[in-house]
Amino acid sequence: MTEPDPQLRELTVKSVFLGLFLAFVFGAANAYLGMKAGQTVAATIPAAVIAMALFRIPAFRGGLLEQNIARTAASVGEALVAGAIFTLPAFLLVEIDGQKLWADLRGHYWQGVVILLAGGLAGIFFIILLRRALCVEAGLPFPESVASYEIVKAGQESGDAPRLVFGGMAFGGLIQILKSDKGLQIFQEYAEGFIAFPRSVVRHFNFSKAPIGAVTHQGGIPWSTPALSPALIGIGYIIGPELASINVAGGFLAWWVLIPLLLFFDPDLSNRIGGAGHDVAAYTLWYNIVRPIAVGMMLVGAANTMFSMRKSIAESLMGAFRASAKSAHASGEVPRTERDIPTKWVLLCILALFVPVTAIYYGFTGGIGTAMGTALVMGGAGFLLSAVGGYLVGLVGSSNQPLSGLTLSALILSALLMQAMGVKGAAGVAAVLGVAAVVAVAVSVSGSLIQDLKAGHLLGGTPWKMQVVEILAVILLSVFLMGPIIALHEANLSTGGIGGRALPAPQAGLMAQLAKGIVSGDMAWGLLAIGAAFGLALLLCGARAMMLIAVGMYLPFDTSSAIFLGGLIKWVADKVMASYGPEIKAKAEEAGTLLASGLIAGEAVVGILLAVLFLTGVSSITHVFSGTDQFSWFPAWGGWLSWLPMAAIAWVLIRVPMRRSGQ
């Protein structure tokens, strides 16, 4: 029997298992990263690089199409978790009459699994119907698909990229072990303090300038250093100095303007909340006052994003359906590179999904009519927004897909439906979040799949094989991903779990506040209005990326400033390479991006492993070696020692790319 051409092998056991393994790794890593920093990092390029490296091993050798299958499966992890962290933690954050919607995640494991499964499969089936329309006939540029294709092709000749990614992962993982309180902690992650203002007396008077009273003010500024986080610094390096600066501008507005202003106006706040210190007063002001203002800004930012893309959205609807209708009438034998899963099977699967979706919504609302209506809204909104999102991915790439704006649209639509049906309280909020969760996952997965299908189209892959491995990955990951999310929440309960300082989960907080506010009327409308007015003022001033400013306000300052530090390192690296030619600069930039991707993946993966270790009963690696959870010298020296790994990260991200470019 003739051995098949290795380049034509595609849906093989090793390609599927490698893709699924990478999907688990990058899915878990992005669960940590998304809830910590409010951002996920696309797994496509790191997964492609790892697949290239492993498929060069003689005993594991594989071709381009096998790499394509592995990359397709691997990207599901990031896409599925991006939709999940936008919405599932919101069930934990909503409180109705003092009771949380979900008291914990562990007790709602299977509800979360069904939401992920329904959303992921719906996204796949929706985009299968639109694949030819968007990938072949729409003439869209698909910038990230083309970039992925070029990297895979170039990787056949270069052995440098895998070493950079794996080296970055090892370095990032090592620092995570040495700075985590669950690891062998010798570095302090960040330092913080409070700069008190001098006492001042403001003498107030009426319109006639007659004295009416004197008020003593004080207050101050709560400060913190950038977090020692390879992942956050890597994010800042990848997004660049401009976006990193915009993000930290939100942090300065929150922690150096609004909170000091509130403390100045209310100097007795600490006494009125039980004699708490300045750090607690600053934290509660940020959590309960500043973050709702940021939510109002996010709403304006989401509306502005959707409005600015109104023409693209309209074109996506008309173009997608027009091209789909055209392709439906095509005749003749279909070539291998154009074969999808048969449409009738896809439609039957969509109808079958209606049953579990209705069941989960019935569990939320307790009414079969309401559950069926909610499921219909989910189906309609999910297909519409998946088509829109897929078209936008073709225009700007999945990294720039406005997932938050699309999810907010579904949330508001379902909230209005709940009000019209008279469903209020916990049931109404749960139903609204249920629709938003399924739609968010569907849109995220459909955007990822259409991007992978386009890359596969360029590489000569078979669409139905990519779709099958994507379905398999979604089914397995839906069961798996709730585990890391639960582990991260329970391992960080001392800082508030999900929604606390360590895992602020900004997008989920936004969804929780909106769902509760619209359905139950408990929203702090005044603070939202202030935030909306602030956001409008920024837009009128021509502020760049206003949504990113709002996210910076929503994050702890050590987080946003660490992202800024990464952007600053990228700025220095660009300045150092400014005098060299474009080819050398391109090589250095590619090497830096791969290193930063490795730093992100390394910290995130080790963070998950340490959380799992903690849940097994091992409080820390430090405790294993010393019998205590903290070395005696750590309080005095941990902060000072942290400057060493900070400098090492900067050196690696500047010097190593220079060497790789030949300088």
Side-chain angles (χ1 to χ4, degrees), residues 181-500:
D181 60 356
K182 299 174 183 62
L184 185 65
Q185 189 177 29
I186 63 175
F187 303 130
Q188 187 173 329
E189 186 167 7
Y190 59 86
E192 59 184 346
F194 188 83
I195 303 173
F197 293 150
R199 289 167 56 92
S200 58
V201 177
V202 177
R203 292 175 173 81
H204 297 271
F205 46 78
N206 60 20
F207 295 117
S208 302
K209 301 297 190 290
I212 56 176
V215 179
T216 301
H217 297 272
Q218 191 167 6
I221 299 174
W223 62 268
S224 66
T225 62
L228 173 58
S229 170
L232 296 176
I233 294 171
I235 287 176
Y237 186 94
I238 289 174
I239 68 175
E242 182 176 353
L243 294 180
S245 298
I246 295 171
N247 183 68
V248 81
F252 277 113
L253 279 172
W255 294 93
W256 290 71
V257 177
L258 293 178
I259 292 174
L261 193 63
L262 291 167
L263 289 172
F264 184 83
F265 282 139
D266 192 359
D268 294 328
L269 176 64
S270 296
N271 295 327
R272 289 190 285 105
I273 56 175
H278 292 303
D279 54 343
V280 175
Y283 175 79
T284 190
L285 285 173
W286 168 69
Y287 196 93
N288 295 301
I289 305 295
V290 173
R291 296 215 305 182
I293 293 174
V295 168
M297 293 175 64
M298 288 182 193
L299 285 174
V300 172
N304 179 65
T305 299
M306 299 299 286
F307 180 77
S308 65
M309 292 185 168
R310 64 193 184 281
K311 292 183 179 179
S312 297
I313 291 172
E315 289 173 5
S316 76
L317 293 175
M318 293 185 292
F321 291 122
R322 184 168 56 244
S324 183
K326 179 181 176 182
S327 64
H329 293 88
S331 60
E333 185 177 348
V334 180
R336 176 186 62 83
T337 55
E338 293 298 331
R339 293 175 191 163
D340 295 293
I341 294 176
T343 302
K344 62 180 180 181
W345 294 3
V346 173
L347 293 176
L348 285 173
C349 289
I350 291 174
L351 289 175
L353 278 178
F354 187 77
V355 176
V357 170
T358 301
I360 195 74
Y361 291 156
Y362 176 77
F364 288 148
T365 64
I368 187 64
T370 304
M372 293 181 67
T374 306
L376 287 172
V377 169
M378 184 285 301
F383 182 76
L384 176 70
L385 295 175
S386 292
V388 172
Y391 189 86
L392 293 175
V393 165
L395 288 175
V396 297
S398 64
S399 297
N400 300 305
Q401 183 190 32
L403 183 59
S404 59
L406 297 172
T407 305
L408 281 172
S409 301
L411 185 144
I412 292 171
L413 179 63
S414 58
L416 294 175
L417 176 67
M418 291 302 103
Q419 280 196 323
M421 290 182 170
V423 181
K424 298 182 179 179
V429 175
V432 169
L433 289 176
V435 171
V438 174
V439 170
V441 174
V443 172
S444 183
V445 170
S446 65
S448 171
L449 177 56
I450 196 64
Q451 183 160 279
D452 284 325
L453 287 170
K454 180 63 177 181
H457 179 74
L458 296 172
L459 289 166
T462 308
W464 75 263
K465 293 180 180 180
M466 298 174 67
Q467 293 156 7
V468 166
V469 77
E470 190 101 354
I471 290 170
L472 178 62
V474 163
I475 292 172
L476 295 177
L477 279 167
S478 296
V479 177
F480 165 78
L481 275 179
M482 284 298 293
I485 295 174
I486 292 170
L488 287 168
H489 173 64
E490 295 182 354
N492 288 279
L493 287 175
S494 61
T495 61
I498 294 176

Side-chain angles (χ1 to χ4, degrees), residues 27 30-31 34 39-41 76-87 116 403 407 440-441 444-445 481 507:
N30 272 293
Q39 302 181 49
T40 59
V41 175
V76 178
E78 182 268 333
L80 199 65
V81 84
I85 63 171
F86 261 52
T87 49
L116 292 178
L403 183 59
T407 305
V441 174
S444 183
V445 170
L481 275 179
Q507 291 91 346

